[in-house]
Amino acid sequence: MNFEFFAFLVFMSFVSFSVAFLAYGMVVRFMGKESFASRLGQIILVPACIVIYDFITMAAPSGYRYLVGGLPLLACAGIALYFRFVKGENFAEAKSPSELAQLTAEPKKFSKKSARIHAARKKRGGK
């Protein structure tokens, strides 16, 4: 009995994560990232979807709980497969967020005085 409860809690954490992923994706897809409605949707709509779907999963008859809870997991797997095979994304070669941030970073700007000092050091053979 205790292991079944533990397994159900672990399963529900995966279900909650996948519902959050899907709800956030829908909010961003239909409302954008920066609008007021999008911010409100991210704060209110995503947690509401998680709570409501968790309640639906727990209220389902005991034989169908894992089936109802597995639907968002299947949807997330379907999205991953779609991007892998239809869109051609290769997740293994994807750059990390820090690498992407370094690509978009602007070169360091120096003041005129700093540029003169830097040029003088270069002439002397320093760093």
Side-chain angles (χ1 to χ4, degrees):
M1 180 70 176
N2 289 337
F3 180 74
E4 182 181 352
F5 180 70
F6 175 73
F8 185 70
L9 283 179
V10 171
F11 175 72
M12 287 304 294
S13 67
F14 284 114
V15 170
S16 297
F17 175 78
S18 61
V19 169
F21 177 79
L22 294 172
Y24 177 76
M26 291 296 163
V27 166
V28 170
R29 171 74 173 97
F30 294 116
M31 296 182 190
K33 283 187 178 179
E34 300 297 324
S35 69
F36 177 73
S38 174
R39 295 283 184 202
L40 204 59
Q42 291 172 16
I43 294 170
I44 296 172
L45 191 61
V46 173
C49 288
I50 295 167
V51 170
I52 291 169
Y53 200 83
D54 284 350
F55 179 74
I56 290 170
T57 303
M58 288 185 281
S62 62
Y64 295 104
R65 282 185 185 150
Y66 292 102
L67 181 67
V68 171
L71 293 176
L73 296 171
L74 289 174
C76 287
I79 290 171
L81 291 174
Y82 171 77
F83 275 99
R84 174 65 178 106
F85 293 111
V86 176
K87 292 282 191 175
E89 295 283 334
N90 191 354
F91 301 122
E93 294 178 5
K95 295 185 185 254
S96 69
S98 60
E99 291 173 341
L100 291 173
Q102 288 175 354
L103 291 176
T104 60
E106 295 179 8
K108 198 172 186 182
K109 294 180 182 179
F110 297 105
S111 66
K112 290 180 182 180
K113 181 178 178 182
S114 179
R116 283 196 317 263
I117 293 170
H118 186 69
R121 284 184 185 161
K122 226 176 188 180
K123 278 184 182 179
R124 287 192 314 242
K127 294 181 182 178

